[in-house]
Amino acid sequence: MTMPPLKRSPLLTIAEARAAVIAGARPVEGEEAVPLALSRGRILARDLASPRALPVFDHSAMDGYAIALAPDAARYTLVGRVVAGQALSARLSPGEAVRIFTGAPLPAGADAVAMQENVATENGAITLTQTLRAGDNIRRAGEDVAIGDALVPAGSVIDARHIGLAAAVGLATLPVRRKARVALVSTGDELVESGGALAPGQIYDSNRPMLAAALERPALELVDFGVLRDDRATISAFFSRVAPDFDLVITTGGASVGDEDHIAAALAVAGGSIDVARVAIRPGKPFTHGRLAGASIAILPGNPFAAFIAALLFTRPMIERALGLPASDFEPLPARAGFAQPRTRERTEFAPARIAGRDGNGTPIIERLGRGGSARLQPLIGADGLAVIAPGETPVAAGDPIGYLPFGAAFSL
Ligand code: AMP
Ligand code: MG
């Protein structure tokens, strides 16, 4: 099959390509209950309402003495002791006090807790050395959360805060969206799994382990399909087989329009549609996106740095969309070039970079690492982000405004 439409298609901007990807990925349907310990990083499927009040009962906020206040009295008779985990059945009468510890239930009849620092003790009695008002040092049942209160909104990415609060109200499980299923595959006759022996002309598959690591999230179920040969029928059969069972399919290699680049053609043979064929980025121009049988399909370039960039720009919104989350913006931070270089005419350029310093306004000055090129991963090792250089007619001079994309923000979900 020849592919003139792909060759002629215009370069989409990053924003256009991201919009197409977002429009093309469908939120997963279905939910499951997972134990709290397995819920981190999953997406809450429904608004969570509290089955309990918090605090559960009136209790002491301090180590001290629970007191049934008597008018104008400073001296109180000690009638008992209560620690956290116990409950005192007796009711205090005005003029009486009990020794109490933080978290212990407030005895019936008690109006306040005096901190132990503000009390003089003697045998069988205490004397207040500070004024005490009704309600002091008491946490009241329901003052934080009432039964039925909204605790966590649907769509939250569950983290330690949500898990702590859910445990506090007694929940053992949380309702979460089912995991988005992601199929990952490399294509290329030259590729060998790392650890194996290389025959002449062969290289190790670096993209698949790299992408698996970049994509790994609790809300995704990633299935590794290994390496496919550069054969259109094989790749087309692969698409037909996995598309019905997966939400996202991510391939690398064979994305451009050379004779051996079969992926988009194979997707077309399988009956898929293509909505992004090329993007105005360097590296990563061959990024292609399409759909087949409900699956959103990302075809990433084979060159490892290009695959890295395309994954960073386009798989994140695919994943967010599949998980029903709002797509995050692509927003490089304002920065200044600490280097000079030519500028591409139509493509936004990405380069491994790090913050080398700050100018007088605190704006980061960016150092570019490596000699460029779409294949090199090594310069990324010393980088803490990417320089983002807009296209234009004039070269980049030191001090020019550029963008900076820190890795933390770029990769976290
Ligand atoms: P392609 O996009 O298939 O034309 O590949 C472009 C370049 O990337 C070639 O040098 C390939 O050998 C290399 N390449 C393709 N896939 C991978 C991969 N999974 N890991 C490492 N290099 C790759
Ligand atoms: Mg190839």
Side-chain angles (χ1 to χ4, degrees):
M1 181 185 270
T2 54
M3 303 168 50
L6 293 186
K7 268 186 185 153
R8 281 201 303 271
S9 61
L11 294 180
L12 296 188
T13 63
I14 294 171
E16 287 167 342
R18 284 169 65 93
V21 161
I22 290 163
R26 219 180 270 165
V28 301
E29 281 166 12
E31 63 175 74
E32 56 183 327
V34 295
L36 290 189
L38 299 178
S39 66
R40 192 178 65 84
R42 302 294 299 271
I43 315 299
L44 193 69
R46 285 180 275 125
D47 290 339
L48 205 61
S50 185
R52 271 192 185 276
L54 286 182
V56 179
F57 48 83
D58 292 358
H59 65 269
S60 178
M62 295 288 172
D63 289 347
Y65 296 85
I67 288 173
L69 291 168
D72 302 323
R75 194 164 182 282
Y76 289 84
T77 311
L78 259 184
V79 296
R81 186 175 192 275
V82 59
V83 303
Q86 291 180 338
L88 213 62
S89 51
R91 183 182 183 89
L92 300 191
S93 302
E96 291 180 338
V98 297
R99 182 77 169 116
I100 195 165
F101 297 90
T102 306
L106 195 72
D111 308 298
V113 171
M115 289 167 65
Q116 59 194 21
E117 296 88 331
N118 298 337
V119 160
T121 53
E122 54 192 283
N123 246 354
I126 58 163
T127 302
L128 301 179
T129 58
Q130 299 267 321
T131 333
L132 187 68
R133 283 164 317 209
D136 281 358
N137 303 315
I138 295 174
R139 296 188 188 129
R140 292 290 179 193
E143 73 180 13
D144 298 341
V145 172
I147 292 177
D149 270 4
L151 290 182
V152 185
S156 300
V157 182
I158 296 166
D159 65 26
R161 298 166 299 156
H162 311 111
I163 292 171
L165 186 57
V169 298
L171 295 173
T173 64
L174 287 173
V176 299
R177 295 212 179 109
R178 83 157 162 83
K179 292 186 178 189
R181 286 170 55 77
V182 184
L184 180 63
V185 75
S186 293
T187 70
D189 288 341
E190 74 279 32
L191 300 178
V192 172
E193 185 100 18
S194 59
L198 291 180
Q202 293 184 322
I203 62 168
Y204 292 117
D205 178 358
S206 52
N207 289 348
R208 198 160 36 93
M210 174 177 70
L211 293 170
L215 294 167
E216 202 274 324
R217 286 169 179 78
L220 299 184
E221 181 188 344
L222 200 67
V223 180
D224 182 348
F225 282 91
V227 178
L228 296 180
R229 295 298 136 211
D230 278 318
D231 171 64
R232 191 171 301 175
T234 304
I235 296 165
S236 168
F238 167 79
F239 280 132
S240 300
R241 180 158 65 90
V242 299
D245 295 334
F246 284 84
D247 302 294
L248 308 175
V249 180
I250 298 174
T251 73
T252 89
S256 46
V257 289
D259 287 348
E260 295 299 326
D261 293 326
H262 302 286
I263 313 298
L267 180 58
V269 169
S273 60
I274 288 172
D275 51 15
V276 178
R278 299 188 310 153
V279 187
I281 54 176
R282 180 166 112 173
K285 181 172 80 167
F287 173 74
T288 300
H289 178 267
R291 295 190 54 80
L292 176 63
S296 172
I297 296 176
I299 296 170
L300 306 180
N303 274 305
F305 182 53
F308 178 89
I309 295 298
L312 197 140
L313 292 178
F314 303 115
T315 63
R316 183 176 177 186
M318 282 173 82
I319 290 167
E320 287 168 335
R321 183 77 181 122
L323 296 177
L325 301 173
S328 50
D329 290 331
F330 167 67
E331 268 176 5
L333 305 174
R336 292 195 178 276
F339 53 85
Q341 66 164 67
R343 208 187 274 272
T344 61
R345 272 252 173 85
E346 8 169 37
R347 296 194 270 158
T348 300
E349 184 174 349
F350 294 85
R354 63 184 196 92
I355 298 179
R358 307 230 166 222
D359 71 8
N361 300 317
T363 306
I365 299 169
I366 302 306
E367 177 189 355
R368 212 196 128 127
L369 303 172
R371 289 177 292 137
S374 58
R376 300 191 173 97
L377 291 179
Q378 171 67 30
L380 283 172
I381 303 304
D384 40 37
L386 296 165
V388 184
I389 302 158
E393 299 295 330
T394 50
V396 179
D400 279 358
I402 60 168
Y404 183 67
L405 204 58
F407 285 147
F411 276 120
S412 60
L413 182 69

